[in-house]
Amino acid sequence: MGIILGFASFFAVTALTADRFLTLQLHLRYQELVTYKRVVSVVMSIWAISVFFSILDQFYGETMYFVKGTLSPVLFILSAFFYCKMFLAVRRHRNQMQDLQLQQQEQNVEETTTAAKLRKSMVGTFYVYLVFLACYLPYMLVNIVRTVKTTSLTDTLRYYALTLVFLNSSLNPLVYCWKMRQIRPAIRDILQNILPITDKEGPRKIER
């Protein structure tokens, strides 16, 4: 289960970063290419690959140890690359709007609003990436050290680092609710269906 959830988190964060990158790069073509069916297919593929890797780990542990040690840095670097490209694209777009501000004032107001939304969305996903990096990077570093030399200290540190890995699943919902307002109503509805609500008649459950 740890391998399934770990790989699913890696792939999901990378996919989220790629989605924000495509939003900036494709503009109007984004809705055409990134459809609901394709998103569902990507999510299902992420979980299928994660389950497949978990099964392989049971029979080919040494091979999967190499795969995990190689794939994890690649996904981190890929996400960092996407964020660098997004930062450069947003900065270039902001400079262009400043140059055209006097010539096309009304159009620039609309473009400024769009750019502000994109920057806000990018910042939100960037916080998710930072929390993910803080939780997974210690575990990766400890595993790299253990490949060179395994001691009682590295074994102990591995358990502490592994605790951070599993803690990430608890921190992500908090980050989502904090930086992404569009998902707050959905979370609120879910909590209202689970938790009792007190009114004048006393505690009750929300009925749909």
Side-chain angles (χ1 to χ4, degrees):
M1 289 302 299
I3 294 174
I4 293 175
L5 297 178
F7 272 112
S9 295
F10 262 106
F11 289 129
V13 170
T14 306
L16 180 63
T17 306
D19 176 75
R20 296 299 87 192
F21 174 75
L22 292 176
T23 304
L24 284 174
Q25 293 294 113
L26 299 178
H27 300 292
L28 297 178
R29 295 183 59 207
Y30 173 81
Q31 296 293 339
E32 177 184 350
L33 296 179
V34 183
T35 62
Y36 176 79
K37 291 184 178 180
R38 289 175 179 174
V39 171
V40 172
S41 298
V42 170
V43 173
M44 293 179 63
S45 298
I46 286 174
W47 284 103
I49 294 173
S50 301
V51 172
F52 177 71
F53 280 162
S54 176
I55 295 174
L56 285 182
D57 186 73
Q58 303 302 314
F59 301 98
Y60 304 98
E62 295 183 0
T63 302
M64 280 304 304
Y65 189 81
F66 173 78
V67 171
K68 289 184 287 185
T70 303
L71 186 59
S72 300
V74 169
L75 294 179
F76 271 129
I77 293 173
L78 185 60
S79 296
F81 171 78
F82 283 142
Y83 278 115
C84 289
K85 295 288 289 184
M86 284 189 286
F87 173 78
L88 294 176
V90 170
R91 187 175 65 175
R92 183 175 61 253
H93 190 266
R94 183 177 57 186
N95 293 337
Q96 290 175 350
M97 287 190 298
Q98 291 175 352
D99 294 336
L100 298 176
Q101 186 174 7
L102 297 178
Q103 302 176 8
Q104 301 174 349
Q105 185 175 359
E106 294 182 357
Q107 181 179 356
N108 283 332
V109 170
E110 182 179 355
E111 290 181 354
T112 301
T113 303
T114 303
K117 291 181 179 179
L118 291 176
R119 285 197 300 269
K120 190 173 183 179
S121 177
M122 184 183 70
V123 170
T125 57
F126 185 64
Y127 275 102
V128 174
Y129 173 73
L130 287 181
V131 172
F132 185 80
L133 186 65
C135 291
Y136 275 79
L137 188 58
Y139 183 73
M140 291 172 53
L141 295 177
V142 170
N143 280 337
I144 292 174
V145 173
R146 291 180 75 248
T147 57
V148 178
K149 184 178 181 180
T150 301
T151 64
S152 58
L153 177 61
T154 57
D155 289 338
T156 302
L157 290 177
R158 179 176 178 273
Y159 286 108
Y160 283 105
L162 193 58
T163 302
L164 284 177
V165 169
F166 288 108
L167 181 64
N168 178 252
S169 299
S170 301
L171 296 177
N172 278 343
L174 300 179
V175 178
Y176 293 149
C177 292
W178 174 39
K179 300 303 298 183
M180 302 179 185
R181 293 183 179 181
Q182 61 270 27
I183 72 168
R184 292 179 188 175
I187 299 297
R188 190 182 300 114
D189 290 341
I190 293 174
L191 293 178
Q192 286 178 347
N193 283 322
I194 296 176
L195 302 177
I197 297 179
T198 303
D199 58 10
K200 294 181 180 179
E201 299 178 357
R204 63 182 178 86
K205 291 281 188 176
I206 290 291
E207 295 182 358
R208 293 291 184 183

